[in-house]
DNA sequence: TCTGGGGTCCTAGGACCC
DNA sequence: TCTGGGGTCCTAGGACCC
């Protein structure tokens, strides 16, 4: 039996989240900035109509935004995460098989649903009513086609937010109008390859010679084509795979030069990543640290990273911070204006599967207990209520966030007040 | 002055072993 | 002086995603 997938995608998600609490901004241009107020990462349709590009640096567009009375928000991840959870709850309530794909997207397995389009229309209404977030839904026998259908549903109002593709030749007229670079999995590199091969539309990619495709894009290309032809290659994962890595990194609010500042920042990011590990019940076996100057400056650039395999898998903040600050010291070069630092933890394992080493003692019960207490306090009273001294007190490198909306749903002191 | 952050997957190439 | 080939594991880096 043919599978039927749906892709539910929130429209302009971060902007829609802000509008839930600012209904006066409905119909008006709104953008949301990335961390550090660096880039524009979400735009309302009205902002898109003003030709404000995705990823544009804020400082370059500030004047233009003011001139056109665009409302600007700093990023508010607590709010977006919370509303995302509420959207996913609604989806899970109406469908038994949901794969959460990102903060604003989920695949549903609608195989066996008698009228998927009618189902999707109703679901769309429900999410809008219950959570206040508008969504678009694409339906198809493969994930790639569901993505295409979703994109069409979002951009062409005559579809009313729901579009279905079948995986047969009846898709072809629509695929002819769909640019190849809009396909899921086609980025800049593959788009260039397609361009030189004369492949312009999704239709062209569907019927292009498979030998050529394999030579140029290897299995990635072949899989993409299979999916466009209606044969499902990308499996549906109702249960998420265990996470394989965690990253914590930030650009600094202002550039720093001192080793001690970098170590403080790296210790802070390490603490954040280690907390993620503990929350997920995972440990890490490999720690990687990097520091770099701004990639936009033309001179005096420096970037370097270094990693180390850990003798004993751990998620202990103190142990990891100590290693991380040592590593920073080995790659630090004085005289540079550092802009960013980060920590990657790789080779994650299940916490329960503790491996003993001949050379090092296992993480002691005492250390685990300390971490548990620290987490409990910080979960209850807010991040960094208590923290290791290595992560610093002044944090001169801390991010900038000048136009933030309140944490309406996750902080009692900031809940919306009805007048 | 000011340009995001967190992930996954794939491939190439080196090290090492037999 | 002559100097193989195949397999596996690891890491780095590219490409892509949201």
């Amino acid at each position: 039996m043919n599978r039927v997938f749906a892709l539910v995608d929130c429209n302009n998600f971060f902007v829609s989240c802000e509008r839930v609490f600012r209904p006066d901004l409905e119909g008006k241009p709104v953008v949301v900035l990335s961390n550090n107020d660096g880039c524009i990462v979400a735009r309302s349709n009205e902002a898109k109509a003003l030709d404000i590009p995705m990823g544009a640096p804020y400082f370059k567009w500030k004047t233009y935004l003011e001139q056109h009375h665009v409302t600007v928000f700093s990023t508010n991840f607590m709010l977006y995460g919370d509303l995302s959870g509420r959207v996913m709850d609604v989806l899970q309530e109406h469908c038994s098989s949901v794969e959460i794909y990102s903060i604003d997207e989920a695949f549903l397995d609608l195989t066996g649903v008698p009228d998927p389009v009618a189902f999707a229309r109703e679901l769309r209404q429900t999410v809008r009513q219950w959570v206040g977030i508008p969504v678009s839904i694409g339906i198809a026998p493969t994930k790639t086609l569901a993505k295409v259908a979703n994109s069409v549903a979002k951009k062409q109002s005559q579809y009313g937010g729901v579009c279905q593709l079948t995986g047969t030749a009846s898709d072809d007229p629509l695929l002819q109008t769909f640019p190849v670079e809009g396909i899921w999995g086609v980025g800049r590199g593959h788009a260039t390859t397609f361009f030189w091969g004369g492949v312009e539309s999704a239709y062209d990619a569907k019927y292009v010679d498979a030998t050529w495709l394999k030579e140029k894009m290897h299995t990635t290309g072949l899989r993409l084509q299979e999916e466009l032809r209606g044969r499902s290659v990308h499996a549906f994962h109702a249960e998420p795979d265990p996470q394989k890595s965690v990253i914590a990194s930030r650009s600094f609010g202002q550039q720093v030069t001192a080793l001690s500042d970098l170590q403080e920042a790296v210790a802070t990011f390490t603490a954040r990543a280690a907390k993620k590990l503990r929350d997920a019940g995972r440990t890490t076996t490999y720690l990687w640290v990097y520091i770099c100057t701004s990639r936009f400056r033309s001179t005096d650039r420096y970037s370097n990273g270094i990693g180390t395999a850990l003798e004993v898998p751990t998620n202990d903040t103190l142990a990891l911070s100590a290693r991380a600050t040592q590593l920073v010291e080995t790659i630090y070069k004085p005289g540079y204006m550092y802009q960013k630092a980060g920590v990657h933890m790789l080779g994650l394992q299940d916490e329960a599967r503790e491996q003993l080493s001949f050379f090092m003692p296992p993480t002691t019960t005492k250390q685990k207990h300390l971490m548990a207490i620290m987490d409990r306090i910080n979960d209850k009273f807010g991040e960094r209520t208590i923290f290791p001294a290595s992560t610093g007190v002044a944090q001169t490198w801390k991010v900038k966030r000048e136009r933030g909306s309140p944490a309406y749903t996750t902080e009692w002191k900031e809940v919306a007040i009805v007048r």
Side-chain angles (χ1 to χ4, degrees), chain A residues 32-41 73-75 400:
Chain A
V32 176
L33 305 178
S34 67
N35 246 308
N36 237 339
D37 294 346
C39 296
I40 295 163
V41 293
F73 289 97
S74 293
T75 191
K400 204 162 48 178

Side-chain angles (χ1 to χ4, degrees), chain A residues 14 26 50 64 105 142 163 190 275 289 292 333 355 411 417:
Chain A
F14 296 173
E26 213 61 56
L50 289 169
Y64 182 84
E105 281 173 69
T142 70
C163 172
H190 294 334
K275 172 72 160 63
V289 168
C292 58
K333 278 211 263 180
Q355 230 168 17
E411 286 290 335
I417 295 165

